[in-house]
Amino acid sequence: MHTFEFVRAKDEPSAVAAGSKSRTAQQGASVRFLAGGTTLIDLMKLNVERPTDLVDINRLPLDEIEALGDGELKIGATVRNTNLAHHVAVKRDYPVLSQAILSGATAQLRNMATTAGNLLQRTRCVYFRDTAWPCNKREPGTGCSAIDGANRTLAILGTSEHCIATNPSDMNVAMMALEATIHIHGPGGRREVPIGQFYLLPGKTPERETVLEPGDLITHVTLPPPAAESKSLYLKLRDRASYEFALVSAAVIVTLKDDRIARARIGLGGVGTIPWRSLEAEAALVGQPASDATFKKAADAALRDAKPQSENRFKIELAKRCLVHALKIVTGKT
Ligand SMILES: Cc1cc2nc3c(=O)[nH]c(=O)nc-3n(C[C@H](O)[C@H](O)[C@H](O)COP(=O)(O)OP(=O)(O)OC[C@H]3O[C@@H](n4cnc5c(N)ncnc54)[C@H](O)[C@@H]3O)c2cc1C
Ligand code: SF4
């Protein structure tokens, strides 16, 4: 069996001088982990991310997918998105995850992108990616250019007056619905964080996106055993059919009993500042007949707190229709 020791990177003078506690690994830090590089190198070319040192983690023994004795599935941090999406156990037991990954990016990108890198990919907000503009997420305290600017693709749930950026990932929406657990190895030892507690709403600190602390390395993700008799689906709506991020998406996992919904897990993409789990929609579904009326009530509940910006009010109706359609397909009510 492979093991590895956590190595603390040397103190970084620039980070210390700037008063930052972040010396390794996390957003804005000067020493960063490099996985597939499809987010990090991209942002380095744009001068948005400017680490002084990269720690290549690709040769760590973290690239295995393993069925655990208790029925869980363990997915290593550096497992490539392609390998995860096509893994026999994932296609059989967690089709929503396979579909979500395959709906994202391109084959070439998925061949490079990793599980942990995807969990930590950053927003596509155009102002975040262009250093000519103020952006609280990139430069805390400078302001948010999107609130009065181009915000058609940005979030309507979980926003704050400081940031309205969308979490762009497809995989993360499925991981939310599947109630994944993130396993972390850091200077303080090992810990596990349920994905529902992993992402942070922007609030006043949009630069802080997850609970990861300086030096934390994601080692793997576990999925609970698949819910008995459940069916799942990922539906993504976007401006073009490939190579495009979601305007809205829905990850649905439903168990039917006597044509009533016995269990439901609902994730929404393209609408939240974090990958969104809708407990409201789930509550509206459970115990109800699998019908159009039930699905519409669930969709209304999911979007009840939506706060649209100047250009993205359309997302409310689009997200509702996306969720209703996904529920119809998964329950065979089309
Ligand atoms: C043109 C383009 C189109 C795309 N379209 C889509 C799309 O439609 N849907 C979608 O979901 N995604 C899309 N993506 C995003 C893509 O999925 C991500 O870039 C990719 O998943 C990131 O994974 P990576 O391994 O390359 O991460 P990296 O770039 O290597 O790392 C990303 C971040 O994670 C950190 N990190 C990596 N591994 C660890 C670890 N083990 N522990 C702690 N920190 C770690 C890095 O330091 C960095 O901050 C697109 C990307 C591009 C460039
Ligand atoms: S929405 Fe967030 S990422 Fe975009 S400009 Fe505003 S603060 Fe920056």
Side-chain angles (χ1 to χ4, degrees):
M1 194 180 89
H2 293 289
T3 58
F4 66 91
E5 290 302 314
F6 184 84
V7 180
R8 183 190 270 279
K10 66 182 178 353
D11 284 358
E12 278 301 311
S14 55
V16 175
S20 165
K21 282 195 274 180
S22 300
R23 294 181 192 122
T24 59
Q26 306 319 324
Q27 292 92 340
S30 51
V31 181
R32 305 289 296 279
F33 295 132
L34 176 69
T38 63
T39 286
L40 186 53
I41 301 292
D42 202 16
L43 292 174
M44 286 171 67
K45 288 179 186 166
L46 295 169
N47 268 333
V48 171
E49 302 255 30
R50 289 185 292 179
T52 55
D53 293 279
L54 295 180
V55 179
D56 185 345
I57 61 170
N58 285 286
R59 273 168 288 176
L60 292 178
L62 301 174
D63 60 350
E64 298 285 331
I65 301 175
E66 189 187 344
L68 301 179
D70 56 4
E72 293 191 333
L73 191 72
K74 177 180 175 184
I75 304 162
T78 59
V79 169
R80 306 288 159 182
N81 283 183
T82 298
N83 294 342
L84 181 56
H86 291 294
H87 191 273
V88 62
V90 175
K91 288 173 89 165
R92 182 189 62 224
D93 298 334
Y94 309 97
V96 66
L97 179 59
S98 181
Q99 292 162 9
I101 292 171
L102 293 176
S103 76
T106 61
Q108 290 85 349
L109 282 158
R110 295 192 296 267
N111 287 344
M112 290 301 295
T114 62
T115 310
N118 201 330
L119 286 169
L120 298 174
Q121 70 169 284
R122 308 201 71 189
T123 185
R124 310 303 289 195
C125 173
V126 291
Y127 305 106
F128 173 73
R129 293 171 62 83
D130 184 343
T131 57
W133 293 87
C135 168
N136 285 326
K137 189 183 276 298
R138 180 170 30 76
E139 297 281 345
T142 55
C144 173
S145 301
I147 286 176
D148 294 320
N151 51 45
R152 176 176 177 272
T153 60
L154 299 188
I156 54 175
L157 289 166
T159 56
S160 77
E161 60 183 299
H162 302 282
C163 182
I164 56 170
T166 323
N167 183 295
S169 171
D170 294 297
M171 183 194 84
N172 298 345
V173 182
M175 290 281 193
M176 275 279 175
L178 288 166
E179 299 175 285
T181 299
I182 317 294
H183 297 254
I184 299 160
H185 192 181
R190 293 179 187 273
R191 68 187 196 284
E192 302 172 4
V193 181
I195 194 167
Q197 296 165 24
F198 182 72
Y199 293 100
L200 300 175
L201 292 170
K204 291 181 182 166
T205 53
E207 73 282 6
R208 193 159 154 65
E209 296 175 350
T210 69
V211 298
L212 289 180
E213 296 290 342
D216 279 345
L217 176 76
I218 296 175
T219 54
H220 60 282
V221 173
T222 49
L223 300 180
E229 309 292 324
S230 65
K231 290 196 173 157
S232 71
L233 180 84
Y234 187 74
L235 181 63
K236 175 174 178 177
L237 306 184
R238 48 191 155 170
D239 281 331
R240 58 183 176 193
S242 93
Y243 203 29
E244 186 57 279
F245 292 88
L247 282 172
V248 303
S249 69
V252 300
I253 307 172
V254 172
T255 311
L256 281 184
K257 207 167 186 183
D258 300 328
D259 218 30
R260 283 188 175 265
I261 298 164
R263 180 181 184 277
R265 294 290 181 272
I266 304 295
L268 295 174
V271 290
T273 50
I274 61 175
W276 203 258
R277 169 137 176 227
S278 180
L279 298 173
E280 298 83 358
E282 292 171 15
L285 290 167
V286 171
Q288 301 302 314
S291 68
D292 216 25
T294 300
F295 302 155
K296 282 185 177 149
K297 274 187 195 157
D300 285 344
L303 275 301
R304 188 162 297 136
D305 294 332
K307 187 167 179 278
Q309 306 299 325
S310 56
E311 297 179 346
N312 66 8
R313 181 170 291 277
F314 74 96
K315 280 195 176 189
I316 297 179
E317 184 59 26
L318 194 63
K320 287 183 186 177
R321 292 187 189 198
C322 181
L323 178 54
V324 168
H325 197 57
L327 287 165
K328 279 187 185 175
I329 296 171
V330 88
T331 57
K333 300 290 175 189
T334 45

